[in-house]
């Protein structure tokens, strides 16, 4: 049986690549860190797994008013906090008992442990920036084990 994971995606900006759909196939949950770009993106992701999404600075259409600025998701006994822009993080993640903080906004992928909390930015799944390919992250959560996050590049995009 394949290992279960949470799909972490951000900054789709209305574009859900076939490579992203394939990379998220088999996820137990999907966390979208904002700048979704359209309700149809969330609907397509919902066909793969339950989706938790936050509103990004570019999600200002009426459909986006249903999205909150932050979300907390609990999976396999782990607490995942999601905010679009890490600069808007208004809590101490460690004091709040969080295991993972997910953000987007910068389009720069990063997986880094800080003070016992795993910080993940999956980069942009819509279009890369600064020569970086579009990407997302698979987060493997095993009870009583070290968290493991894997960056999944989605290939270079011509013309960007």
């Amino acid at each position: 049986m394949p290992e279960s994971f949470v799909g972490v995606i951000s900054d789709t900006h209305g574009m859900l690549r076939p490579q992203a759909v394939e990379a998220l196939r088999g996820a137990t949950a999907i966390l979208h860190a904002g700048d979704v770009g359209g309700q149809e993106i969330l609907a397509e992701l919902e066909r793969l797994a339950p989706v938790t999404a936050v509103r990004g600075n570019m999600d200002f259409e009426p459909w986006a008013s249903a999205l909150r600025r932050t979300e907390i998701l609990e999976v396999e006994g782990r607490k995942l906090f999601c905010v679009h822009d890490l600069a808007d993080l208004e809590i101490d993640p460690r004091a709040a008992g969080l295991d993972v903080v997910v953000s987007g906004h910068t389009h720069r992928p990063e997986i880094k442990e800080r003070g016992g909390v795993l910080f993940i930015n999956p980069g942009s799944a819509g279009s890369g920036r600064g020569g970086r390919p579009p990407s997302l992250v698979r987060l493997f959560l095993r009870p009583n084990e070290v968290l493991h996050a894997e960056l999944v590049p989605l290939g270079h995009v011509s013309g960007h």
Side-chain angles (χ1 to χ4, degrees):
M1 181 173 162
E3 193 172 20
S4 66
F5 65 93
V6 173
V8 181
I9 189 168
S10 187
D11 297 277
T12 46
H13 293 281
M15 179 190 312
L16 189 58
R17 302 174 176 285
Q19 304 97 314
V21 171
E22 197 53 41
L24 294 171
R25 200 171 303 285
T28 56
I30 296 172
L31 197 52
H32 196 304
D35 281 358
V36 177
Q39 197 168 8
E40 66 281 357
I41 300 296
L42 298 178
E44 194 168 341
L45 290 173
E46 280 283 351
R47 288 196 278 272
L48 299 171
V51 175
T52 301
V54 297
R55 186 173 354 138
N57 61 298
M58 300 302 290
D59 293 323
F60 45 78
E61 297 88 7
W63 66 268
S65 64
L67 299 178
R68 296 174 7 164
R69 294 280 179 198
T70 64
E71 288 284 354
I72 294 181
L73 178 65
E74 195 161 329
V75 181
E76 297 286 343
R78 306 292 186 121
K79 286 173 77 173
L80 288 65
F81 182 87
C82 189
V83 61
H84 179 61
D85 186 345
L86 196 55
D88 295 333
L89 182 66
E90 297 177 346
I91 60 171
D92 175 344
R94 191 165 182 189
L98 301 176
D99 297 291
V100 179
V101 172
V102 171
S103 63
H105 188 59
T106 66
H107 294 220
R108 288 190 302 270
E110 181 176 49
I111 300 169
K112 183 181 263 183
E113 188 272 329
R114 293 184 207 148
V117 177
L118 187 63
F119 283 77
I120 296 174
N121 185 325
S124 171
S127 62
R129 190 184 279 173
R132 290 178 293 277
S135 60
L136 56 79
V137 166
R138 290 186 189 127
L139 175 62
F140 298 91
L141 302 166
R142 302 173 195 104
N144 305 313
E145 288 189 30
V146 173
L147 299 170
H148 173 69
E150 166 189 73
L151 181 67
V152 180
L154 301 175
H156 282 280
V157 181
S158 60
H160 290 283

